[in-house]
Amino acid sequence: MKKCIRLLQVSLLILCALFLSGCEFDWKQSGNTEKFKLYFYDEHQSTLVVEERDLELPENASKEKRMLAVIEALSKGQQVNNQGTRPILFNIDYAILKENTASINFTDAYNTLDVPTQITHRAMLVYTLTELDFIDKVEFYANDMPLMNSNGDKMDVVERKDILINALNPKPPTSSQIITLYFPNLTDQLLHKEQREIRVNNNTPLENYVIAELIKGPNIEGLLGILPADTKVNDIKTQDGVCQIDLSYDLQVPQVGNLIREDLIIYAMVNSLTEISKIQKVIFLKDGKKQTEFNLSSQSGGVFERNEELILQTP
């Protein structure tokens, strides 16, 4: 009798073990593993890099749940060790699927991110989500309000083709450049040379930096600034050796309290710009209108060339 009881206990244990192992097997098979492509911004390469990742999804997961799983995986960052990728700071309040469009709503914290980070984060989301066969485009909101572009207009829905990979770099390649500026001195009424070392974006024309540094004013004591600090540069372009500068400052109207001669103001800019080898002449505009009425004999129709006579000659 005892033997039968023992055999029955053993049988029950075996059945329990089989039942439990069967339950475990069923639990593991209740979901599906699916491979996704996730895109991360790499600062070192200045581009998006892709990482394939297997994600566990519930059985018969809806399209929206698949989308949310991808966003969650992306927000955790790369699994491979890559020092060039940026930290992920999506600050997403919620995301929903509207037909073939993913609608992303950021929290208020999104607006505290610097613009380059905002751009690269949106690019990561667009590239990753449009890898899903049911998403063609992405729209973005912050605190339930549409995101605005730099012109103050509502940002359109974004497709993958709208993401310019070569425009993603928030830290473009830079180099050290020595520029030569000229500022007036009231004592001798001449232009004094000041050399300045600056960091420049290799893709930005050097004349843009020259004007920006002139607006900042001189670093050498005794020299005077030639433009107000609030001067706005509307446009600068150089073609065929002629640099055309459009300023918000009217060079033709004498400014109250400005003791600097008109020619010193004009040629401080002209001589500074013509230090750049590709520039031989300079034209000034005020809010898009060419300025020609200068009281200077050395200019022809508002076109200025370099004037060495106003520069202090040093041994």
Side-chain angles (χ1 to χ4, degrees):
M1 184 65 181
K2 290 182 178 180
K3 186 175 181 180
C4 290
I5 292 174
R6 287 174 181 169
L7 287 173
L8 181 60
Q9 290 174 334
V10 171
S11 299
L12 288 172
L13 288 171
I14 293 173
L15 286 172
C16 287
L18 290 173
F19 176 76
L20 291 172
S21 63
C23 289
E24 183 181 3
F25 176 80
D26 289 341
W27 176 80
K28 286 184 177 180
Q29 294 299 316
S30 63
N32 297 314
T33 300
E34 190 172 343
K35 190 179 294 292
F36 294 92
K37 288 183 178 179
L38 308 179
Y39 288 84
F40 301 90
Y41 182 70
D42 188 320
E43 285 188 334
H44 292 174
Q45 301 183 51
S46 302
T47 189
L48 294 173
V49 293
V50 64
E51 176 182 304
E52 289 194 348
R53 192 177 303 177
D54 293 327
L55 301 180
E56 291 283 346
L57 296 172
E59 191 173 359
N60 300 319
S62 66
K63 292 179 179 178
E64 190 166 272
K65 285 186 177 179
R66 291 172 67 201
M67 177 189 73
L68 294 174
V70 167
I71 293 174
E72 181 182 4
L74 188 65
S75 66
K76 293 178 180 178
Q78 278 193 285
Q79 289 183 340
V80 297
N81 184 20
N82 187 348
Q83 298 297 321
T85 53
R86 298 171 63 88
I88 309 298
L89 305 166
F90 282 149
N91 300 306
I92 294 177
D93 186 15
Y94 61 84
I96 58 176
L97 185 62
K98 301 176 182 178
E99 296 183 350
N100 65 337
T101 302
S103 183
I104 309 295
N105 188 60
F106 297 108
T107 66
D108 278 335
Y110 171 84
N111 295 317
T112 66
L113 301 176
D114 59 74
V115 173
T117 300
Q118 292 179 359
I119 293 173
T120 54
H121 278 30
R122 292 199 304 268
M124 286 188 282
L125 284 165
V126 170
Y127 252 72
T128 298
L129 291 176
T130 54
E131 276 287 342
L132 301 173
D133 58 9
F134 51 87
I135 295 179
D136 296 329
K137 45 196 172 182
V138 184
E139 60 180 5
F140 294 101
Y141 296 81
N143 198 26
D144 295 316
M145 297 295 292
L147 292 187
M148 300 295 178
N149 60 26
S150 58
N151 295 322
D153 301 321
K154 177 184 174 182
M155 187 180 294
D156 294 330
V157 292
V158 185
E159 300 180 41
R160 176 177 286 217
K161 64 180 177 62
D162 298 323
I163 303 297
L164 302 177
I165 298 299
N166 60 357
L168 288 175
N169 190 2
K171 294 182 178 179
T174 62
S175 62
S176 179
Q177 180 80 40
I178 295 177
I179 60 175
T180 300
L181 307 174
Y182 292 91
F183 294 99
N185 179 288
L186 287 184
T187 303
D188 56 23
Q189 296 292 307
L190 292 173
L191 296 175
H192 291 230
K193 179 187 297 187
E194 178 185 319
Q195 289 192 316
R196 191 174 296 181
E197 184 174 5
I198 60 173
R199 298 293 299 181
V200 300
N201 176 351
N202 298 336
N203 299 319
T204 301
L206 190 58
E207 49 266 38
N208 294 53
Y209 291 98
V210 169
I211 295 299
E213 295 297 318
L214 285 171
I215 292 173
K216 290 179 183 178
N219 291 335
I220 299 175
E221 187 176 353
L223 302 185
L224 298 177
I226 58 171
L227 294 170
D230 60 353
T231 300
K232 300 293 187 298
V233 180
N234 300 319
D235 188 34
I236 301 178
K237 57 184 178 183
T238 301
Q239 186 175 2
D240 298 328
V242 180
C243 179
Q244 183 172 282
I245 307 169
D246 187 354
L247 302 173
S248 65
Y249 182 76
D250 196 337
L251 296 172
Q252 295 177 156
V253 178
Q255 306 298 313
V256 177
N258 192 346
L259 302 177
I260 307 173
R261 293 195 334 243
E262 182 185 43
D263 59 341
L264 291 177
I265 295 175
I266 296 297
Y267 284 104
M269 288 186 280
V270 173
N271 288 353
S272 296
L273 287 166
T274 52
E275 285 282 342
I276 302 172
S277 59
K278 68 177 181 179
I279 298 176
Q280 288 81 49
K281 299 177 182 180
V282 179
I283 295 174
F284 295 101
L285 291 84
K286 198 273 183 181
D287 294 330
K289 185 178 179 180
K290 184 178 178 181
Q291 297 187 284
T292 58
E293 302 299 323
F294 294 98
N295 297 316
L296 301 175
S297 58
S298 56
Q299 55 94 23
S300 176
V303 180
F304 294 88
E305 297 184 38
R306 187 176 182 85
N307 187 335
E308 294 281 349
E309 294 179 0
L310 290 176
I311 300 174
L312 174 68
Q313 303 300 319
T314 55

